[in-house]
Amino acid sequence: MMQLSFAGKEMATQKQWRMGAGMMLNSPDFCPLGPNLAVFGHMDMGGSIGFADPESKLAFAYVTESFHTPNKHDKSLCGKRQQNLIKGLYKSIL
């Protein structure tokens, strides 16, 4: 799952992203999953996410009932709420 099988621009967003075998690899331009590139998992357009970071020895999942849609206040694909949770997670362990 962690072996790179694709790297390039995602068609709809034109942002760089990386994929392993069935899992998204950390793609900071597309949807950052923390500071380590070895992170693998997947995000959901709704704002939910699940990933593992072997380097930091952690796994993280967040599920929400609120759908994130990019808008004029938050143009990000993943959503500010999700990104703030990930930043807080890594801040708490470093």
Side-chain angles (χ1 to χ4, degrees):
M1 287 189 291
M2 295 169 49
Q3 184 176 349
L4 181 67
S5 63
F6 172 81
K9 279 190 179 178
E10 194 272 332
M11 298 282 283
T13 64
Q14 293 297 301
K15 293 186 181 229
Q16 292 292 324
W17 74 313
R18 302 166 52 237
M19 287 291 295
M23 291 284 179
M24 189 172 91
L25 303 177
N26 196 358
S27 303
D29 188 41
F30 184 71
C31 181
L33 303 177
N36 303 322
L37 282 179
V39 173
F40 65 97
H42 223 288
M43 51 75 75
D44 173 49
M45 280 297 295
S48 298
I49 191 162
F51 67 84
D53 181 346
E55 192 174 320
S56 294
K57 295 184 172 122
L58 68 86
F60 178 78
Y62 174 70
V63 180
T64 179
E65 292 181 4
S66 302
F67 191 82
H68 167 71
T69 304
N71 57 61
K72 68 180 182 178
H73 302 292
D74 183 358
K75 296 179 193 271
S76 68
L77 185 64
C78 300
K80 289 181 182 177
R81 175 182 48 207
Q82 182 191 98
Q83 291 303 295
N84 287 335
L85 285 168
I86 293 170
K87 287 176 188 171
L89 168 71
Y90 279 96
K91 187 177 180 181
S92 73
I93 64 168
L94 297 178

